[in-house]
Amino acid sequence: MAQPDDDIALRVQALEQALVAKGLVDPAALAAFVDAYENRIGPKNGARVVARAWTDPAYKARLLENGAAAIGELGYGGLQGENLVVVENTADTHNLIVCTLCSCYPWPVLGLPPVWYKSPAYRARAVKEPRAVLKEFGLDLPAEMQVRVWDSSAEIRYMVLPRRPAETQHLDERELAAMVTRDGMIGTATI
Amino acid sequence: MAQPDDDIALRVQALEQALVAKGLVDPAALAAFVDAYENRIGPKNGARVVARAWTDPAYKARLLENGAAAIGELGYGGLQGENLVVVENTADTHNLIVCTLCSCYPWPVLGLPPVWYKSPAYRARAVKEPRAVLKEFGLDLPAEMQVRVWDSSAEIRYMVLPRRPAETQHLDERELAAMVTRDGMIGTATI
Amino acid sequence: MNGIHDMGGMDGFGAVVPEAGEPVFHAEWEKRMFAIAAAVPFALPFADDHLRREIERIPPVVYLGSSYYELWYHAIMALLAERNAFSPAGPQGANPPLQADAVDAAILAGATTRMAAPHAVARFQPGDAVVTRNINPHDHTRLPRYARGRHGAILRNHGTFSFADSNARGDGPSPQHLYAVRFTAQELWGPDASRRDDLVLDLWDAYLEPAS
Amino acid sequence: MNGIHDMGGMDGFGAVVPEAGEPVFHAEWEKRMFAIAAAVPFALPFADDHLRREIERIPPVVYLGSSYYELWYHAIMALLAERNAFSPAGPQGANPPLQADAVDAAILAGATTRMAAPHAVARFQPGDAVVTRNINPHDHTRLPRYARGRHGAILRNHGTFSFADSNARGDGPSPQHLYAVRFTAQELWGPDASRRDDLVLDLWDAYLEPAS
């Protein structure tokens, strides 16, 4: 397994050098992109959005009305989230996000997607047998709950607004945000 | 490229030895199967069937009515041809055989299929863009001719009866058979 | 199952490239693998439906990276494992191996899947308009994805045959009528396809519904 | 195109397996490849539609055997070749490279594909019954195979967006209305699917016809 990895590493290095030589990229800008997505843009952003929506009904209404604008209020937005739609889990409906044709994902709120989200297994199966996939994530939904899958294969990026857990009245927004997982905002977990 | 080949060669050898040890196959029987399909059962059989149909109208009628029975008259039949249907090319219609789900093929008359017939490219494309595939075989059919594709994915095996070329009245059945190609009986050639 | 084997209508595989010389076999192991697949069912009966089921279970990246006889190797191994062929107690209920002098007769006898089915009703007659069902079973089926939920017409009734879907999943042959069904190229591939061309696919009764 | 990338509804890929620890990147080259793909379009403009078109052209066996950033490598190389980026005369019409201190602002600005389209007519309203067209283009499309020729209902009009099919094949953005369209699970996957579940797919106006 080491061989192909080494090979692609060399080829990417050569590509970067050629692009720099041609004046098409600045190595420092590459480092800035990596830093942004490795250290700042990730599911913590989405968790803050969710906690705000749980604690501020007016914000929640704005979030469901125009997701992109509402995450902008918290300073998030841009690449792969320009047209964000937030879909709400309810007592009756559980939402699940996938992109079958590639791996579209709401970067500003969730960061870069995990490997499994990009895997053929998830892309192939989430649309046809979402309940079987959810079971593998430990989520066995009752038959009377509707599962709605969002195949975000075009220009909209989706994020799930999970249901606020019971008995969390005593928690503040920051404590609530700490409860929210990335999988909860994809739909492969309830929170 | 040698490595995987050597590997499968070893594994097949081991499999054969295990099967012999368990009394499930006789090595001499394996050799007999190979001999039959390498040396006797091949497109020459189909060519004889075609030439007979071209020269004997009553045989042709029987061939189109019940392909399996008619090839049996010439001593052919059995495995992968138990239910053979022969389809006739006409001035209006050109036929093409494929099996998209695996590589079903009329063994008694054509022998074992060539590699390209089993390839993803042929299986994927013959049903959707038969004319483009035929062009790659050098066959550019006029737009006014109908192309009918037979996807033989179930229990029937198909063979094409090509059109007898013009100006072959002087040829006898054996000479005609020598003109018939395997591709003509698949439909990727006219004869 | 909607596996990689169900590739009718896919793009991306490039040109169809005939090979030079086209030998029947390319190596000694291909000969032996072919013959093993031909001979084993005489000792340990299995149907093509079972071989295909196992071929279809091969992971897509292995499937696409393998030659045809390599796929047969994987499938035969799976079938042999299923029958415990290599366990110390050996396989149960095996017949004696086919002998060399019986091979030609065995080839000529074949192994038809045509079966009498006195209770099977032919729901369709030649000329009838039909629509294929949109089924997506996890198990083996011979209704390809490109022909699901599509309108066609019965061209011919081939008679009654063992039903691959049932047989492959171990529920017995359950024979039923098999029809040649004609579809226009435009019905299958849309308005950019030729208006003149068509396609014929053999489909079992259970795959079809009457079209209004 | 009906490439291997269009895998919605396929079987055979096994279980969904989350990896331990889930690092954002797994190697230095993944970081650089991601950043190259993010940075290059500021110098040599291309749209995601073009990147996707090139990813989809990767042969299936390579596609399935590659990690996601390897696919990006192949696609970026193809786009750079198309623009003659590495020819002696260099690429034509390139902008200066994005500077490090402009990266955060560039990320936040994004690159929306939403476009005004004063002449685009919304043929459908929320609640309208529609049927997807059965198109099978050789080029890039965002209408997956599993949703062709299927009946659904308009859930929402997202507004007008650059049309991926047109943009990817170099015919310009041709913006048109994009709708969220709801399909029942049974419509997509047949009677064995849940009667309760459904799926929403974003589809451009050109993919849809009114359903009677």
Side-chain angles (χ1 to χ4, degrees):
Chain A
M1 297 297 285
Q3 193 50 44
D5 252 28
D6 290 352
D7 185 39
I8 183 72
L10 278 174
R11 284 184 288 157
V12 172
Q13 213 169 24
L15 169 60
E16 179 178 336
Q17 285 168 12
L19 289 168
V20 171
K22 281 289 185 186
L24 295 170
V25 303
D26 167 19
L30 300 186
F33 270 113
V34 171
D35 177 54
Y37 286 96
E38 198 167 30
N39 301 316
R40 291 195 309 280
I41 302 175
K44 285 211 167 77
N45 297 5
R48 232 187 108 206
V49 170
V50 168
R52 175 68 53 90
W54 282 347
T55 53
D56 179 344
Y59 181 77
K60 177 176 161 182
R62 293 197 299 281
L63 183 68
L64 295 176
E65 172 64 27
N66 184 335
I71 67 167
E73 295 179 33
L74 301 193
Y76 310 137
L79 287 179
Q80 296 297 321
E82 300 92 342
N83 299 285
L84 183 81
V85 168
V86 177
V87 292
E88 183 186 15
N89 283 349
T90 67
D92 304 318
T93 302
H94 182 86
N95 295 284
L96 179 69
I97 313 299
V98 64
C99 169
T100 58
L101 295 177
C102 42
S103 304
C104 298
Y105 194 73
W107 292 3
V109 280
L110 297 190
L112 299 179
V115 172
W116 63 258
Y117 183 87
K118 301 182 279 189
S119 71
Y122 185 71
R123 290 163 53 191
R125 297 175 57 208
V127 287
K128 183 160 80 100
E129 42 178 8
R131 288 174 186 268
V133 170
L134 292 177
K135 262 187 206 163
E136 291 175 16
F137 278 88
L139 194 54
D140 195 358
L141 294 175
E144 62 271 21
M145 176 165 280
Q146 180 190 35
V147 175
R148 173 168 286 184
V149 179
W150 300 78
D151 184 358
S152 60
S153 288
E155 307 307 296
I156 311 301
R157 300 294 170 267
Y158 291 91
M159 183 185 96
V160 175
L161 175 61
R163 297 168 70 194
R164 180 172 175 164
E167 323 222 347
T168 54
Q169 302 87 332
H170 60 291
L171 299 181
D172 68 15
E173 196 180 317
R174 229 179 88 185
E175 290 166 319
L176 287 169
M179 297 181 69
V180 178
T181 70
R182 182 205 58 201
D183 285 7
M185 296 179 280
I186 297 175
T188 49
T190 48
I191 181 175
Chain B
M1 297 295 286
Q3 194 51 43
D5 251 28
D6 290 353
D7 186 39
I8 182 73
L10 279 174
R11 284 184 287 156
V12 172
Q13 212 169 25
L15 170 59
E16 179 178 336
Q17 285 168 13
L19 290 167
V20 171
K22 281 289 184 185
L24 294 171
V25 302
D26 166 19
L30 299 186
F33 270 113
V34 171
D35 177 54
Y37 285 96
E38 198 168 29
N39 301 315
R40 290 196 309 280
I41 302 175
K44 285 212 166 76
N45 297 6
R48 230 186 110 206
V49 170
V50 168
R52 174 68 54 92
W54 282 348
T55 53
D56 180 344
Y59 181 77
K60 178 176 159 181
R62 294 198 299 280
L63 183 68
L64 295 175
E65 173 64 28
N66 184 334
I71 66 168
E73 295 179 32
L74 302 194
Y76 310 136
L79 287 180
Q80 295 298 320
E82 300 91 344
N83 300 284
L84 183 81
V85 168
V86 176
V87 293
E88 183 186 15
N89 283 350
T90 66
D92 303 320
T93 302
H94 181 87
N95 295 284
L96 180 69
I97 312 301
V98 63
C99 169
T100 58
L101 295 177
C102 40
S103 304
C104 298
Y105 193 72
W107 293 3
V109 280
L110 298 189
L112 299 179
V115 171
W116 63 257
Y117 184 88
K118 300 182 280 188
S119 71
Y122 185 70
R123 290 163 52 190
R125 296 175 59 208
V127 287
K128 183 160 80 98
E129 42 178 9
R131 288 172 185 269
V133 170
L134 292 177
K135 262 187 205 163
E136 291 176 16
F137 277 90
L139 193 54
D140 195 357
L141 293 174
E144 62 271 20
M145 176 165 279
Q146 181 190 34
V147 175
R148 173 168 285 184
V149 179
W150 300 79
D151 184 358
S152 59
S153 288
E155 307 306 297
I156 311 300
R157 300 294 170 266
Y158 290 92
M159 183 185 95
V160 175
L161 175 61
R163 298 169 70 195
R164 178 171 176 167
E167 325 221 346
T168 53
Q169 302 87 332
H170 60 292
L171 299 182
D172 68 16
E173 197 179 319
R174 229 179 88 187
E175 289 167 319
L176 286 168
M179 297 181 69
V180 178
T181 70
R182 181 205 60 201
D183 285 8
M185 296 179 282
I186 297 174
T188 50
T190 48
I191 181 174
Chain C
M1 74 182 265
N2 297 344
I4 188 66
H5 72 282
D6 186 356
M7 51 180 63
M10 278 185 74
D11 297 312
F13 290 114
V16 179
V17 184
E19 81 182 312
E22 295 197 331
V24 176
F25 299 107
H26 302 76
E28 186 63 23
W29 72 265
E30 285 196 355
K31 299 183 187 184
R32 306 308 280 190
M33 190 61 238
F34 164 74
I36 287 168
V40 165
F42 291 94
L44 270 187
F46 65 79
D48 285 348
D49 298 330
H50 302 113
L51 186 74
R52 293 192 188 113
R53 178 193 69 198
E54 295 306 329
I55 289 179
E56 293 166 11
R57 287 177 176 173
I58 295 169
V61 72
V62 177
Y63 186 104
L64 290 179
S66 302
S67 72
Y68 209 72
Y69 294 118
E70 284 179 281
L71 298 180
W72 281 24
Y73 171 82
H74 294 302
I76 291 283
M77 289 299 280
L79 287 171
L80 290 168
E82 189 185 62
R83 313 283 170 102
N84 295 312
F86 298 139
S87 71
Q92 309 288 310
N95 303 320
L98 185 71
Q99 297 300 307
D101 59 8
V103 165
D104 282 350
I107 290 172
L108 205 56
T112 189
T113 51
R114 190 185 289 277
M115 291 179 72
H119 301 295
V121 176
R123 288 192 299 146
F124 307 103
Q125 306 302 322
D128 283 1
V130 293
V131 59
T132 54
R133 295 178 68 206
N134 178 25
I135 56 169
N136 288 264
H138 278 102
D139 302 309
H140 179 74
T141 184
R142 304 300 281 180
L143 175 56
R145 288 187 77 188
Y146 75 80
R148 295 188 190 154
R150 299 288 178 254
H151 288 258
I154 303 289
L155 196 65
R156 181 171 181 165
N157 184 338
H158 291 300
T160 52
F161 288 81
S162 168
F163 181 36
D165 300 40
S166 169
N167 199 38
R169 64 170 181 263
D171 290 346
S174 310
Q176 52 174 266
H177 287 271
L178 179 74
Y179 309 89
V181 183
R182 174 188 172 272
F183 302 88
T184 67
Q186 292 203 332
E187 171 68 12
L188 295 177
W189 310 112
D192 292 340
S194 158
R195 265 176 305 168
R196 193 158 311 214
D197 298 347
D198 60 12
L199 179 143
V200 181
L201 185 59
D202 293 322
L203 299 172
W204 275 277
D205 200 278
Y207 296 156
L208 303 172
E209 295 294 348
S212 47
Chain D
M1 73 181 266
N2 296 346
I4 188 66
H5 70 282
D6 186 357
M7 50 180 63
M10 278 185 73
D11 297 312
F13 290 114
V16 179
V17 185
E19 81 184 314
E22 294 198 332
V24 176
F25 299 106
H26 301 77
E28 186 63 22
W29 74 264
E30 284 196 356
K31 299 183 188 184
R32 305 308 281 191
M33 191 61 238
F34 165 73
I36 287 168
V40 166
F42 291 94
L44 270 187
F46 64 80
D48 284 348
D49 298 329
H50 302 113
L51 187 74
R52 293 192 188 113
R53 179 194 67 197
E54 296 305 329
I55 289 178
E56 294 167 9
R57 287 177 176 172
I58 294 169
V61 71
V62 178
Y63 186 104
L64 290 178
S66 301
S67 71
Y68 209 71
Y69 292 118
E70 284 179 281
L71 298 180
W72 281 25
Y73 171 81
H74 294 302
I76 291 282
M77 288 299 280
L79 287 172
L80 290 169
E82 188 185 62
R83 313 281 170 105
N84 295 312
F86 298 138
S87 70
Q92 308 289 309
N95 302 320
L98 185 72
Q99 297 300 307
D101 59 8
V103 164
D104 282 351
I107 290 172
L108 206 56
T112 188
T113 51
R114 189 185 289 277
M115 291 179 72
H119 302 294
V121 175
R123 289 192 299 147
F124 307 103
Q125 306 302 322
D128 284 359
V130 293
V131 59
T132 53
R133 295 178 68 207
N134 178 25
I135 56 170
N136 287 266
H138 278 102
D139 303 309
H140 179 75
T141 184
R142 305 301 280 180
L143 175 55
R145 289 187 77 188
Y146 75 79
R148 296 189 191 154
R150 298 289 178 254
H151 289 256
I154 302 289
L155 196 65
R156 181 172 181 165
N157 184 337
H158 291 301
T160 53
F161 288 81
S162 169
F163 180 37
D165 301 39
S166 169
N167 199 37
R169 64 171 181 261
D171 290 347
S174 309
Q176 53 176 266
H177 287 271
L178 180 73
Y179 308 89
V181 183
R182 175 188 171 272
F183 302 87
T184 67
Q186 293 203 331
E187 170 68 12
L188 296 177
W189 311 112
D192 291 339
S194 156
R195 264 176 308 170
R196 193 160 311 225
D197 298 348
D198 61 10
L199 179 144
V200 181
L201 184 60
D202 294 322
L203 299 172
W204 276 276
D205 199 279
Y207 297 155
L208 303 172
E209 297 294 348
S212 47

